[in-house]
Amino acid sequence: MTVERDLPRGRRVPVDELEEQDVDVGRYWNRISKRWWLPAGGLLIGLLIGLLLAAGGHKVYKAEAVVFLGNPFTPNGTTLVPALQLQPNVVNTTIHSEDVLAKASRRSGLGVNALRNGVSIRTVGAAKKSGTGTGTNPLVAVAVKGSSRVKVQKAANALAFLTVANVAPYVQSKITSLKGQLAAQTHELDSIEQRIAIANQALAQGKNLPALDQLVLATQVDNAEQRRAAIENEVLSTKQLLNLANQVERPRVYQTAVAVPTTARSKRNSAIAGALLGLLIGLIAAILWDPVAERRTRRVA
């Protein structure tokens, strides 16, 4: 008499069948335990083969340039503005554009296809939120892999500088404007200094002038000095804005690329893949060892 065991969804499996499955699993486990050295050896050999394949691959160079995209502010320097350099995918879009790839290829001598397949980016640090809710930029690393040390290095640097040039127009125009403003303020300050010097000289030499004329000269000197103080404050403010634009807002290549040797395959991934494959082959060999040996014994007999 066969007893059936209830399973979910109305399915019924005979107890005999379940016992047979338990016996099969136990048989396989006994075979593996008996010849444990096969999976262990397969694991070790696979690990060594994976490491050898990773180390024996053709030599590849990697060059990585680090770009600071900058954080653009409004003209008065109080609030971040959503300029091009704050867009999340601007670097990835730039370095994969055909125009930029062609320019970098010409500058480095590395083929466009090789450059397209070998370029990548990664974020150095994490973007943060400012008090206004707008994200501030982290550093971005632009990397190129290839078989030529010099070409790879030139290509990474070319892509980095082309990326900076692509996102720089807003801040660059702001810097140009601030420099012009500072030059005008400095020129006005020099002019005021000259007027003050002339008025003081006239006041010193005009002791015999009527009191009213002396009062007029003194008033001119006083007004000029007040204007000089106001211009000096404006010059200080402009210099601060210019320093902010140059140090914080302006995108630039923070670190140029230097090519270093690397491997075409990841040693870690190759070792894991080799070890797993070797373990699998060892388990199969341990399970099939006895049946194969029995068949060969029967054939000989």
Side-chain angles (χ1 to χ4, degrees), residues 33-67:
S33 300
K34 183 179 179 181
R35 293 180 173 81
W36 60 267
W37 48 272
L38 286 174
L43 178 69
L44 181 60
I45 293 173
L47 178 66
L48 294 176
I49 292 176
L51 290 175
L52 289 174
L53 288 176
H58 64 280
K59 182 170 287 188
V60 175
Y61 295 94
K62 179 180 179 181
E64 188 175 76
V66 180
V67 175

Side-chain angles (χ1 to χ4, degrees), residues 19 31 34 37 56 60 93 101 103 112 114 131-132 157 169 182 198 203 211-212 229 247 259 263:
E19 292 177 351
R31 292 177 182 176
K34 183 179 179 181
W37 48 272
V60 175
T93 303
L101 287 173
K103 290 178 180 178
V112 175
T132 61
N157 286 324
L182 182 62
I198 293 172
L203 187 61
L212 182 59
Q247 300 299 325
T263 55

Side-chain angles (χ1 to χ4, degrees), residues 202-222:
L203 187 61
Q205 295 176 354
K207 294 180 179 181
N208 297 326
L209 291 174
L212 182 59
D213 292 342
Q214 293 184 20
L215 180 60
V216 170
L217 288 173
T219 302
Q220 290 178 351
V221 171
D222 184 61

